[in-house]
Amino acid sequence: MSVPEASPSAPNDRDDDSRVGHAATLRRLEKSAGSLAAAAIARMDESLPWYRAMPPENRSWIGLVAQAGIAAFTEWFRHPETKQAISTDVFGTAPRELTRAITLRQTVEMVRTTIEVMEEAIEEVAAPGDEALLREALLVYAREIAFATAQVYAQAAEARGAWDARLESLVVNAVLSGEADEGVLSRAAALGWNAPEQVLVVLGTAPDGDSELTVDAIRRAARHARLQVLTGVLGDRLVVIAGGSTDPLHTARALIGPFAPGPVVVGPVVPDLLSATRSAQSAAAGLKACAAWPDAPRPVLADDLLPERAMAGDTTARDQLVEEIYRPLEEAGSALLETLSVYLEQASSLEGAARMLFVHPNTVRYRLRRVTDVTGWSPSDVRSAFTLRTALILGRLSDAEQPL
């Protein structure tokens, strides 16, 4: 049995209509574009409080976006197969700064309001018989607009994030290199730094891998500890400028997780960001000198590393030991300096020091308590005794260098 030859299929009028749109509906859309845009803006003014509170310039930009959206829908309805870039057609009419002035939530409300106005006008705009076709087209277009909105804000967020990262790196580098000035304050303010009254720097080794992941981990830890931070990876070092805490060790312990194994040094607390250079330089000198104290705690204060820093050539540490330990003891009287020196030379023996000084051991004990009161360092502690001995040596060398 032979199969009859298939006859050519007739043109599909519905496919042609969906491809090029109905001429009458298109004409009505074009004529109604202005009134639809005006109705959408009026609806926003009526139902969106944030729109009413915006400056006139921003409201005018939103009006242009609404008009562009309706015009783009008309063109999209005419040629749905072209899949033109809706984000360019609609959001390209507004400046990039508008994404900072209007949140994503507000943009969604703006788009929803405009779509609702257009949907309510379908019965009036569509030619007889085209209502379902126009409603279906508007539904698909609304989906495309939603994706376009997400793309615009995602691109803006990526660009802003990249710029903020570069800006933050500049601030951190300026503080670490000692080049901080008023310009650094303005850059930090742009990053959300609220000028806390207590600032310190934490310095350690950066882990291998993506530095952005490390920075994100520091920020999460800071949010959990309710700290302000500016952070960055400079070479192999992870630098964190932290504000809002008066306890350096507590701050460092809250942020220590993302650091690579190895020493983590905490600089002294300073009053503001411009003074953070001093904290950063102390932390950097401490990190360099940590090799001389293998059993140093982690984290460790930069001031606890003063002897090692002084031996490594840190003039700030040398001056600090002389000015904060030797000079106060010198001013307190020769008896304290002499007693401390003899006590340290006698292997921290009260009886041995008393014999050398021809005094009672209780007198030595009293004088050593006075040393602790004056300097904050206890001669009976091994580590403190090392610091005091170093201060005595540096103080005597400083006296010897002064002209008679």
Side-chain angles (χ1 to χ4, degrees):
M1 182 177 178
S2 62
V3 179
E5 191 174 303
S7 60
S9 60
N12 191 321
D13 293 338
R14 186 184 177 109
D15 290 344
D16 290 343
D17 288 344
S18 65
R19 186 174 61 253
V20 300
H22 287 189
T25 300
L26 281 171
R27 286 195 299 270
R28 291 189 178 194
L29 271 175
E30 291 169 351
K31 290 180 180 180
S32 303
S35 60
L36 287 173
I41 293 171
R43 180 74 62 85
M44 291 181 212
D45 189 64
E46 176 185 348
S47 61
L48 302 178
W50 59 264
Y51 175 79
R52 293 194 300 271
M54 295 191 76
E57 182 182 8
N58 287 344
R59 288 203 302 270
S60 67
W61 283 120
I62 290 177
L64 287 178
V65 170
Q67 292 175 15
I70 295 172
F73 172 67
T74 303
E75 190 63 27
W76 185 85
F77 183 71
R78 187 195 319 266
H79 300 292
E81 77 284 354
T82 59
K83 298 186 179 185
Q84 57 194 359
I86 293 176
S87 62
T88 301
D89 290 341
V90 177
F91 299 103
T93 60
R96 183 175 299 176
E97 291 78 9
L98 195 63
T99 57
R100 289 183 179 268
I102 304 176
T103 65
L104 177 58
R105 179 185 60 81
Q106 292 170 339
T107 303
V108 169
E109 291 179 351
M110 176 189 73
V111 171
R112 180 186 292 118
T113 302
T114 305
I115 295 296
E116 286 176 354
V117 168
M118 295 177 66
E119 190 174 15
E120 292 171 3
I122 284 179
E123 300 297 332
E124 299 177 7
V125 174
D130 278 356
E131 293 86 356
L133 179 64
L134 187 59
R135 184 172 287 105
E136 181 181 351
L138 184 61
L139 180 63
V140 176
Y141 181 76
R143 182 195 65 188
E144 296 298 322
I145 279 287
F147 284 120
T149 302
Q151 182 180 10
V152 167
Y153 274 84
Q155 290 173 344
E158 289 176 357
R160 187 160 57 248
W163 170 252
D164 287 351
R166 290 193 294 270
L167 196 63
E168 188 170 13
S169 180
L170 288 174
V171 172
V172 171
N173 185 66
V175 169
L176 196 62
S177 62
E179 299 175 355
D181 54 18
E182 294 297 329
V184 167
L185 294 181
S186 63
R187 296 187 188 101
L191 293 167
W193 182 263
N194 294 327
E197 295 181 356
Q198 295 87 23
V199 181
L200 57 86
V201 175
V202 184
L203 198 61
T205 304
D208 296 332
D210 191 345
S211 61
E212 291 185 6
L213 296 178
T214 301
V215 169
D216 288 341
I218 289 288
R219 292 199 182 105
R220 285 195 299 272
R223 284 194 297 269
H224 182 73
R226 297 182 179 179
L227 297 168
Q228 293 188 56
V229 295
L230 296 168
T231 183
V233 176
L234 304 181
D236 61 346
R237 292 187 295 182
L238 174 56
V239 185
V240 182
I241 304 170
S245 174
T246 57
D247 188 337
L249 287 178
H250 176 76
T251 299
R253 291 188 185 107
L255 303 173
I256 202 170
F259 284 85
V264 174
V265 183
V266 191
V269 176
V270 293
D272 51 45
L273 186 60
L274 290 182
S275 305
T277 290
R278 178 162 56 87
S279 183
Q281 291 175 345
S282 295
L287 190 63
K288 177 183 176 182
C290 257
W293 187 12
D295 296 328
R298 185 178 188 267
V300 60
L301 297 175
D303 284 354
D304 287 346
L305 288 157
L306 285 174
E308 288 81 6
R309 288 167 53 192
M311 293 178 188
D314 181 8
T315 57
T316 300
R318 292 170 59 95
D319 294 341
Q320 193 171 340
L321 286 169
V322 173
E323 297 301 325
E324 294 183 3
I325 296 179
Y326 184 79
R327 297 301 176 203
L329 288 174
E330 190 177 46
E331 294 171 1
S334 59
L336 291 187
L337 271 177
E338 182 183 18
T339 300
L340 176 62
S341 178
V342 171
Y343 175 77
L344 294 176
E345 290 173 1
Q346 293 300 313
S348 300
S349 169
L350 286 172
E351 291 75 12
R355 287 194 299 270
M356 293 292 296
L357 295 169
F358 300 103
V359 296
H360 194 275
N362 285 342
T363 302
V364 176
R365 187 178 290 108
Y366 167 77
R367 291 177 180 176
L368 293 180
R369 283 201 300 267
R370 287 279 296 133
V371 169
T372 303
D373 294 339
V374 170
T375 66
W377 300 86
S378 173
S380 60
D381 177 76
V382 175
R383 179 68 194 176
S384 295
F386 174 57
T387 302
L388 290 167
R389 183 187 292 273
T390 305
L392 291 181
I393 294 171
L394 294 174
R396 291 164 183 159
L397 289 173
S398 177
D399 288 344
E401 292 172 358
Q402 294 180 0
L404 298 178

